[in-house]
Each structure stands twice: as C-alpha cells, then as structure tokens.
Amino acid sequence: MAHINSNYLNIKESYLFSEVAKRTAKFKESHPDADIIRLGIGDVTRPLAPTVIEALHFGVEDMSRGETFKGYGPEQGYDFIKNALKDYYAEKGVELDKDEIFVSDGAKSDLGNILDIFSKDNVVLVPDPVYPVYVDTNTMDGREIVYLKADESNNFLPLPNKSIKADLIYLCSPNNPTGACYDRAALVEWVNYANENNAVILFDAAYECFVSDESLPRSIYEIDGAKTCAIEFCSFSKTAGFTGTRCGYTVVPFALERDGHKLNKFWLRRQTTKFNGVSYIVQKGAAAVFTEEGKKQIKENIDYYKENAKTITDTLDRLGIWYCGGKHSPYIWFRCPGNMGSWEFFDALLEKANVVGTPGEGFGENGKGYFRLTSFSTHENTVEAMKRFEKAFGGND
Ligand code: PLP
C-alpha cells in the first residue's frame, strides 16, 4: 500500500488570500456599486519592458530556423545569461564564477527545491512574520522550525540570538511582508553567526532591485565571509515583471561546504536530475534585462512602483501611523490604526474606503495588529486609495 507524506497533514491551511477574496466578494455582493481598489496584491502590473519583448521575439525566431533552433539546453542555464548575471553581481562588487549561478523558473521553486540537499534533521530558523513558503516547504519535510521574533522593537529586522542553535536560517531582505531592509552591520552579524555555527543562510533577495541606498547590501555576498555560509535566491519577477513569464536564479558558491562536501556539486546534481532548464526563449528575454536599454527601462518600472510607495508612506506619515518598508521595497507594513486587529482593520478599510489590503497576521503571530499594502497598483488607484484611507482614518491614531 502506498503511504502519503503525512507531514502534509501538518501544513496550515493557506487561508489568507482565500479569506481576503471571500470577504471582498461578500462586500461586493452587498455593495455592487463600490469601486474597490486592491492594494493587497504582491503581483506586478506593469508590462514587460520593450527590450525584453524584442529579445523574446528574437528567441522565437531562433526556434523557427534549423541552424539556430534549440532543444534541451544546459539545466543550469545558458552561458549568455549566466555571464550577464555574473556581470550584474560584479557591478555590486561581488565576484562570482558563472558556474556558481543556476538559472531557474523562479525563486519560489528554488527555495523549496534547495531543501533536497539538506538533512531533514536540520533545525530551521525563520523570522516571524515571514513569507509562508519557507515554513510550508520545511513542514512538508518534517523539519523542526524555530521562530525568531520580528517586531517594532527591532524594526522587524531581528538579529541572531546566540542562545538559539539553528542549521538553516532564512533571511529575506528587503523583506516580504514587512518591507524592512537589513543594513551591512546586521548582515555581518548574521554571517558571523552562521559561520560560527556551521549553519547555512538561505538569503532571499527577490526584492534587491528596490534598494536605492548605495550603502545597503543588495546581495549577501557583499558581506565578507558569506561565501562560506550562504546561498542566495533571486528572481526576475519583481525586477523585470516576470511573475507570469518565470525566471529566477540561485547562487551556490564553490566555497560553501558542509560535512566535507561542496553544496554547489550537490545542487548541480539535484538540478540536472530533477530539472530540465528554463525555456531558451525566456532566458533570451531575461538576459535583455541587463543590456543598457534594458536596465533603463526596468528602472522606469521600479521608479513607478516606488512613487506609489511614497504616496502610501506620505499618507501614513501625515496620520502619524507607525510603519516600516516602502523605501527599499514595494511593501509597506504598518500598525493598524486605533489598535485594531489585522482582520478588524481589513474589514474597516474595505467598508470605509473600499480598499483591499493584506492582514499582517496571515504572515505569522507577530503580524497581529499589522497590515501590508503594496505599491504594485497604478498611480491613479494608489492616489485615490490613500485619499480615501486618509479620509476614513485621519484622526483615529
Ligand atoms: N521570495 C519572496 C520573498 C517573494 O515575495 C516571492 C514572490 O512573491 C518569491 C520569492 C517568489 O518569486 P518567483 O516569482 O521568482 O517565484
């Protein structure tokens, strides 16, 4: 008889977005004329950059001719994109070998798949609140998870607690859901802690392109010693609007060894066995992000979202509401006005302003009483939503 992986029975129902959808639909039913604005989504809305579209077309053309047609490609990605990524890292002052870079169909897959190369006995450390994928993928494997409290006292950027011993440490900076971004000194502490404990940091840099302050690290490898303790995950999703096109990359340095083995070799083995690479056409499109024209066009999109973030934070500033994020991130995380609970505020915001956001408690215990808005909507909708927000909650806090 086949048996199930009973760890799946321990995964919490992912009710957050379904509950958001349910409450929104119910409201719409009783208020059919309401003009609802959604600032809850973590998905981009700007179309792909023209340079990317052009490169995708070139990729299609290549597939139409015998002499340029591509069948199975290298599982880890074509050299043309790995070299472009290597140069991108070099711009941040990080020297990588192209074979330390693995191209994939996105960061989410790699964040889950990387666990194949780690023992199920490893203890996992995750900050709370957190991107739920880290928790669920480890629960599926039956690993023990220890939570690290992120709250206002540490600006939602927890530092290592020497009394906690963990083997795998998840860090996401700039963070989803809080938008908070670690500075260099904090990452030095994490890297030192990981090296001292032989732990491995799984560093999620999916939002690195939103960092606008030169002094803030955009890669964990900007920190000395990170190559012996960290794997970095990144994505074209938020950088270049690839959420529906799918492309990401993971860096596993040659210097990273545990139990006397190179993790790069293990990951290569894992990928060549279970993954057949990203479509050539998509890799052509993704590589175009790093051309001069591509970089310029991508920046325009990111600046567009950043302007929305500023509209949101300006409103919160005026209302005196505590928040973090928004500056180096598309996410703004704030304390619910009037000491409301997350869901209570969700209902109040929908009722009074017809705006949908995401209740913080959906991301963990420490999200209770907090709320996440995103800057991925249009300018017009963001301005209108925050006008209504201010009218509804001005004077409440
Ligand atoms: N990591 C974080 C923190 C995210 O918020 C997301 C998507 O929202 C991802 C990874 C997934 O990225 P991708 O689209 O590349 O799978």
Side-chain angles (χ1 to χ4, degrees):
M1 176 173 161
H3 292 288
I4 56 158
N5 175 354
S6 57
N7 292 320
Y8 277 64
L9 302 173
N10 300 326
I11 306 169
K12 282 206 199 112
E13 272 312 308
S14 121
Y15 79 105
L16 176 62
F17 290 102
S18 56
E19 183 64 20
V20 165
K22 208 166 94 190
R23 289 187 190 214
T24 311
K26 195 164 164 227
F27 180 80
K28 185 85 188 150
E29 219 177 273
S30 49
H31 303 79
D33 297 329
D35 170 25
I36 295 175
I37 300 178
R38 292 164 204 273
L39 297 188
I41 46 158
D43 198 355
V44 292
T45 49
R46 308 284 297 158
L48 294 175
T51 309
V52 170
I53 294 291
E54 195 182 40
L56 288 168
H57 281 296
F58 283 135
V60 171
E61 286 301 313
D62 284 348
M63 295 304 256
S64 73
R65 289 186 298 265
E67 49 298 2
T68 48
F69 169 78
K70 300 279 186 296
Y72 289 124
E75 292 90 344
Q76 342 46 311
Y78 284 98
D79 275 356
F80 66 78
I81 186 167
K82 292 204 300 177
N83 281 323
L85 283 163
K86 180 174 151 24
D87 293 346
Y88 182 57
Y89 271 95
E91 284 169 23
K92 303 183 221 185
V94 174
E95 291 303 323
L96 293 178
D97 186 285
K98 72 173 170 49
D99 292 332
E100 294 179 307
I101 303 167
F102 297 77
V103 179
S104 73
D105 64 349
K108 191 185 197 176
S109 324
D110 283 2
L111 281 159
N113 295 335
I114 198 75
L115 295 174
D116 274 7
I117 69 169
F118 291 104
S119 161
K120 295 199 176 17
D121 295 339
N122 284 333
V123 175
V124 178
L125 185 67
V126 294
D128 172 3
V130 71
Y131 177 53
V133 169
Y134 312 150
V135 173
D136 290 350
T137 50
N138 278 291
T139 305
M140 285 171 181
D141 279 356
R143 277 189 200 85
E144 182 188 342
I145 301 173
V146 179
Y147 292 92
L148 192 60
K149 198 170 170 180
D151 58 18
E152 281 185 36
S153 73
N154 52 32
N155 282 316
F156 285 90
L157 291 168
L159 291 172
N161 176 341
K162 302 251 158 44
S163 66
I164 298 177
K165 291 279 170 261
D167 307 303
L168 297 176
I169 301 160
Y170 285 87
L171 296 179
C172 177
S173 180
N175 189 272
N176 178 16
T178 68
C181 182
Y182 277 114
D183 65 14
R184 201 167 289 274
L187 288 184
V188 167
E189 282 200 44
W190 275 113
V191 165
N192 291 343
Y193 169 85
N195 277 322
E196 279 159 23
N197 291 285
N198 277 319
V200 172
I201 294 172
L202 302 174
F203 191 79
D204 187 342
Y207 298 93
E208 58 85 28
C209 60
F210 283 85
V211 175
S212 43
D213 182 337
E214 290 279 305
S215 73
L216 295 172
R218 290 167 60 188
S219 162
I220 189 79
Y221 304 118
E222 292 181 47
I223 309 300
D224 283 345
K227 284 189 179 171
T228 53
C229 70
I231 294 176
E232 180 159 294
F233 303 85
C234 204
S235 169
F236 290 88
S237 283
K238 309 297 156 83
T239 311
F242 270 58
T243 50
T245 309
R246 310 302 307 145
C247 197
Y249 48 96
T250 289
V251 179
V252 189
F254 294 140
L256 179 54
E257 294 185 10
R258 288 296 177 268
D259 297 328
H261 294 277
K262 285 192 184 302
L263 297 193
N264 179 287
K265 206 170 155 200
F266 271 47
W267 181 239
L268 178 65
R269 191 73 177 91
R270 192 269 168 211
Q271 288 299 77
T272 50
T273 303
K274 293 195 182 180
F275 182 59
N276 250 341
V278 178
S279 129
Y280 168 75
I281 300 166
V282 169
Q283 291 188 59
K284 284 296 268 189
V289 167
F290 301 111
T291 59
E292 282 315 307
E293 203 47 35
K295 278 188 215 161
K296 216 176 101 218
Q297 292 170 2
I298 271 34
K299 187 171 178 303
E300 277 164 19
N301 278 353
I302 290 167
D303 287 347
Y304 181 96
Y305 295 133
K306 281 193 164 176
E307 219 176 302
N308 287 344
K310 188 161 184 319
T311 301
I312 298 172
T313 55
D314 281 352
T315 307
L316 298 177
D317 278 335
R318 275 196 300 279
L319 299 183
I321 294 175
W322 188 96
Y323 68 89
C324 59
K327 202 155 182 215
H328 307 290
S329 160
Y331 299 118
I332 297 95
W333 177 260
F334 58 93
R335 197 190 314 151
C336 298
N339 284 323
M340 276 187 253
S342 298
W343 283 109
E344 192 188 352
F345 180 67
F346 175 89
D347 290 335
L349 185 64
L350 184 55
E351 187 76 40
K352 293 186 181 180
N354 301 167
V355 171
V356 175
T358 312
E361 72 178 81
F363 299 99
E365 272 299 299
N366 285 303
K368 282 188 172 158
Y370 291 85
F371 208 76
R372 190 191 78 173
L373 291 180
T374 85
S375 62
F376 286 129
S377 190
T378 60
H379 279 335
E380 298 71 28
N381 278 348
T382 309
V383 168
E384 173 61 24
M386 295 321 286
K387 233 188 247 164
R388 294 187 202 164
F389 186 114
E390 192 157 358
K391 192 160 166 235
F393 300 101
N396 235 348
D397 212 339

